[in-house]
Amino acid sequence: MTAYPVMLQLAGKLCVVVGGGPVGMRKAYGLLKAGAKVRLVSPRLTSPIGRDRVETVSRVFRSGDLDGASLVFAATGDAASDRSVAAEARRLGIPVCLAGSPSEGDFSLPAVLHRGDMTLAVSSSGRSPALATVFRDQLDALLPETWALVVDIAAAARQHALHDKGSIDYSREALRRLLAGSLLELLTAGNAAGVDDLLHEVFGPSWSLASLGIDLPERNT
């Protein structure tokens, strides 16, 4: 069955990770990056983690550890223990991910690639997480970091259009014109003048990298 893709806003919300092995630690760090409050339940941790950032419960999982949680990850490395965590989560109505058996959980995590505020997620619906990771790595090689600047420019155009309706032609076609005009290549080359010329052509003479507050990174020579 095909999973339903969704992006969750977890800032300030409590998420519980049960298991302090490599998989559990990756889940905890990912949740911290998303701004979540993290409770980590495990008798031992495989890597250090800031105790000021994480509520650490240094013992095996027990009933009550999931109280107040919005999301749960069962990553103990033991199938029976993970299922016990999942049963408690479902009793409380909390979505749970079983790291060792994604198809048994309420959700699974995709392989993720970030380019600034653009996030690309690849999922096999839990059938082969390793294959999703391989595909993600191929995308990583195809999509340069410069895409983060493309996102900044597109976001600025959208905000301008929302606040000053009719002032610019903001549309999918306008974005296609930017990309067809070699925006990505100009940004990668650090050609600010060329980018400004393209912005003038698509959005008008008042548009430039400077007006958007965007500085191109210095190129290594």
Side-chain angles (χ1 to χ4, degrees):
M1 184 179 296
T2 301
Y4 186 80
V6 64
M7 304 289 283
L8 298 177
Q9 300 297 330
L10 296 177
K13 296 181 179 180
L14 176 64
C15 298
V16 177
V17 178
V18 182
V23 174
M25 297 305 290
R26 285 200 299 272
K27 307 302 184 191
Y29 284 119
L31 289 167
L32 287 173
K33 189 174 181 180
K37 297 178 181 178
V38 178
R39 179 182 296 155
L40 184 57
V41 183
S42 178
R44 56 188 177 277
L45 306 179
T46 56
S47 61
I49 193 166
R51 301 300 176 99
D52 58 330
R53 303 176 63 201
V54 174
E55 178 190 348
T56 304
V57 181
S58 301
R59 55 166 170 73
V60 297
F61 173 79
R62 66 176 63 157
S63 180
D65 287 340
L66 306 184
D67 290 353
S70 297
L71 212 63
V72 174
F73 290 87
T76 66
D78 177 77
S81 296
D82 283 356
R83 291 190 181 105
S84 177
V85 174
E88 175 73 1
R90 285 169 175 149
R91 185 182 71 79
L92 296 172
I94 307 170
V96 60
C97 170
L98 283 75
S101 184
S103 61
E104 294 184 33
D106 299 312
F107 67 97
S108 60
L109 295 188
V112 175
L113 177 65
H114 294 286
R115 290 294 181 261
D117 287 331
M118 181 170 67
T119 300
L120 291 88
V122 182
S123 172
S124 63
S125 295
R127 297 187 64 194
S128 179
L131 180 59
T133 300
V134 169
F135 193 83
R136 185 274 315 275
D137 291 344
Q138 292 185 353
L139 289 176
D140 185 30
L142 291 172
L143 299 173
E145 293 288 346
T146 315
W147 271 102
L149 293 172
V150 176
V151 175
D152 290 341
I153 291 171
R158 178 175 181 270
Q159 287 301 313
H160 195 92
L162 288 173
H163 290 96
D164 191 4
K165 296 185 182 300
S167 60
I168 63 170
D169 174 24
Y170 176 77
S171 62
R172 293 181 185 177
E173 182 56 35
L175 296 179
R176 290 191 181 101
R177 288 173 61 198
L178 282 175
L179 294 174
S182 301
L183 175 62
L184 188 64
E185 291 82 355
L186 291 168
L187 291 170
T188 301
N191 187 347
V195 174
D196 285 347
D197 288 342
L198 182 58
L199 291 172
H200 297 165
E201 178 184 338
V202 175
F203 292 130
S206 64
W207 281 73
S208 67
L209 288 171
S211 71
L212 300 179
I214 297 174
D215 294 318
L216 298 190
E218 294 184 5
R219 297 180 63 196
N220 294 325
T221 57

